[in-house]
Amino acid sequence: MALTEVAEPEPFEGTLLVRALQLGICGTDFDLIAGDYGWAPDGCGHLVLGHESLGEVAEASDAGNFKKGDLVVGIVRRPDAQPCVACAVGEWDMCRNGRYTERGIKERHGFGAQRWRIEPEFAVKVEAEMRAVGVLVEPASVLAKAWEHIEHIGRRAHWRPRSLLVTGAGPIGLLAAMMGQQRGLAVHVLDQVTDGPKPKLVEDLGAKYHTGGVERLGFRPDIVIECSGAAALTRDCMLHLGSAGILCMVGSSAHAQDALLDISQFNRAMVLSNLAVFGVVNGNRRHYEQAAEALRRASRSWLLGLITRREPFANWRAAFERQPGDVKVVIDLASGA
Ligand SMILES: [Zn+2]
């Protein structure tokens, strides 16, 4: 990982020239830096990091609805060049052949530069009042997709869910809980930590914070959104779902976790209680728009509390050093290097 001078973005990269404001850091960035994941663009020896963006339009030539000064978030994924059935209709988040690309992750430079360009159809407008929290739109888009799919699956039968359990109180889990609260559910969040900002963020949402095992909750949730990626916890959630319950996995697991699952026990739970267990990744344009709307309706002060550290550009390296009490860390790219 290095800070380096790169060329001015080329007009072919998009008709919107954007002055970067903020960049959010997430677990995928740590995987990229460790070399565990990610691909540089073809013929390029480096990958510009950054997929959680917020910027201000500096030039909008032939850019439809955008004008100079608009706040925008960049969509991360691009459909494959010869699109599969999903990509062909704008649902690149459901890409079937894996030949999609992703800014800052897979074969396309990211948004971790002071200026970047984007195609208007891959830019999402954010209201001016959202300037301080708009960087949360990209992570929230994944949860908007999770909720959309949970509700689609829920419509398989008459179903009136009351309780939500979110496992993992990082930024993804907290945004999942926020959207559960917006749906009028009784929200429970389970994590390991007993101090730091997470318990209070959960309580401020009007939700209940838990530590310890799922079996000690005292109830079986109708919906679980699994955001920890912890294998044993995921298994316990699968076995403690309420009848007709839906479990959505958002957190991806590190390899080689030692957790056993009795498939016959899981099978009986699935069959006898009509359970649904599924996973989601990424989001399409519709989910970014749903995310921006959910954030707009949320408490601004609560959202500001999710961003626990803002590093000035000159101190960018510190953003990639994990500190106790971090929830979401952002780099203020507009502050000058
Ligand atoms: Zn595709």
Side-chain angles (χ1 to χ4, degrees):
M1 180 171 63
L3 177 65
T4 182
E5 201 72 40
V6 294
E8 195 67 36
E10 302 266 6
F12 75 82
E13 294 172 54
T15 51
L16 292 181
L17 176 67
V18 179
R19 185 176 75 92
L21 296 175
Q22 288 169 12
L23 187 73
I25 307 302
C26 91
T28 305
D29 294 306
F30 288 93
D31 294 341
L32 289 160
I33 293 160
D36 290 341
Y37 192 69
W39 300 263
D42 231 3
C44 188
H46 68 278
L47 173 73
V48 176
L49 287 174
H51 58 278
E52 298 184 2
S53 64
L54 180 72
E56 190 178 67
V57 174
E59 273 175 40
S61 61
D62 182 30
N65 290 325
F66 293 93
K67 60 180 194 307
K68 192 177 173 194
D70 282 347
L71 295 185
V72 288
V73 166
I75 290 177
V76 174
R77 195 174 279 195
R78 297 289 179 282
D80 33 295
Q82 289 179 309
C84 70
V85 289
C87 287
V89 295
E91 295 202 332
W92 51 75
D93 59 310
M94 300 295 288
C95 182
R96 299 287 294 278
N97 60 25
R99 288 201 290 269
Y100 60 83
T101 57
E102 287 176 332
R103 292 199 66 163
I105 302 172
K106 186 173 184 275
E107 298 160 11
R108 270 179 196 262
H109 288 313
F111 303 112
Q114 286 167 299
R115 283 186 293 282
W116 37 271
R117 276 189 180 270
I118 195 156
E119 317 86 324
E121 60 271 35
F122 290 99
V124 179
K125 205 184 283 192
V126 172
E127 288 176 44
E129 61 178 83
M130 301 284 287
R131 197 178 182 94
V133 295
V135 72
L136 297 172
V137 168
E138 195 280 335
S141 69
V142 183
L143 284 322
K145 173 179 175 179
W147 276 109
E148 183 191 73
H149 286 209
I150 288 166
E151 286 163 351
H152 271 295
I153 295 168
R155 283 197 286 275
R156 66 191 165 150
H158 184 76
W159 185 55
R160 204 174 293 164
R162 292 200 172 87
S163 57
L164 163 70
L165 172 67
V166 174
T167 47
I172 292 289
L174 290 165
L175 289 167
M178 179 201 89
M179 293 181 191
Q181 202 73 15
Q182 290 178 338
R183 285 163 170 80
L185 295 165
V187 180
H188 299 259
V189 179
L190 187 148
D191 197 294
Q192 292 178 318
V193 301
T194 51
D195 54 5
K198 290 176 181 178
K200 181 156 180 3
L201 281 164
V202 170
E203 280 156 27
D204 288 349
L205 203 55
K208 192 162 168 27
Y209 188 80
H210 301 262
T211 55
V214 178
E215 66 287 349
R216 286 171 49 195
L217 288 173
F219 70 99
R220 288 177 174 264
D222 297 319
I223 301 169
V224 177
I225 302 183
E226 206 302 301
C227 303
S228 74
L233 180 58
T234 305
R235 173 202 56 210
D236 294 347
C237 288
M238 296 195 300
L239 298 175
H240 283 86
L241 265 176
S243 177
I246 298 174
L247 186 156
C248 174
M249 293 186 208
V250 180
S252 72
S253 291
H255 294 295
Q257 293 183 54
D258 191 15
L260 297 176
L261 171 64
D262 177 345
I263 296 291
S264 57
Q265 186 189 8
F266 178 52
N267 163 284
R268 281 194 302 279
M270 289 280 285
V271 170
L272 299 179
S273 297
N274 290 296
L275 306 184
V277 173
F278 76 107
V280 292
V281 69
N282 194 256
N284 64 44
R285 183 175 191 95
R286 184 172 78 239
H287 303 125
Y288 281 76
E289 287 166 355
Q290 291 165 355
E293 174 59 17
L295 294 175
R296 196 188 60 74
R297 285 167 46 217
S299 153
R300 195 60 41 82
S301 64
W302 186 83
L303 291 175
L304 284 168
L306 278 190
I307 302 173
T308 45
R309 197 148 59 88
R310 292 174 187 269
E311 294 290 357
F313 192 3
N315 207 25
W316 64 275
R317 198 174 276 278
F320 295 93
E321 289 157 8
R322 285 195 165 112
Q323 291 180 12
D326 280 349
V327 178
K328 175 56 72 184
V329 176
V330 305
I331 303 175
D332 180 7
L333 287 174
S335 61

